[in-house]
């Protein structure tokens, strides 16, 4: 979860608003970081 948050905050562009991904990573415990790395990253 910490790695996903750090990556999200460091990136300039994500698929969708950055605040939404931060909330998903924090509140959707195990699946949130996985979803971010699979769907949320632009690169």
């Amino acid at each position: 979860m910490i790695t996903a948050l750090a990556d999200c905050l460091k990136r300039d562009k994500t698929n969708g608003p950055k605040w939404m991904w931060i909330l998903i990573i924090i509140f959707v415990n195990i699946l949130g970081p996985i979803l971010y790395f699979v769907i949320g990253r632009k690169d």
Side-chain angles (χ1 to χ4, degrees):
M1 180 166 77
I2 293 170
T3 305
L5 280 173
D7 187 71
C8 183
L9 292 172
K10 187 171 62 170
R11 288 194 181 270
D12 291 333
K13 295 183 180 180
T14 58
N15 289 331
K18 192 178 283 196
W19 62 268
M20 177 191 73
W21 282 112
I22 292 171
L23 290 177
I24 289 172
I25 291 168
I26 292 172
F27 291 115
V28 184
N29 293 328
I30 294 173
L31 291 177
I34 294 170
L35 286 173
Y36 169 71
F37 282 120
V38 173
I39 300 171
R41 295 172 68 176
K42 272 244 187 210
D43 294 0

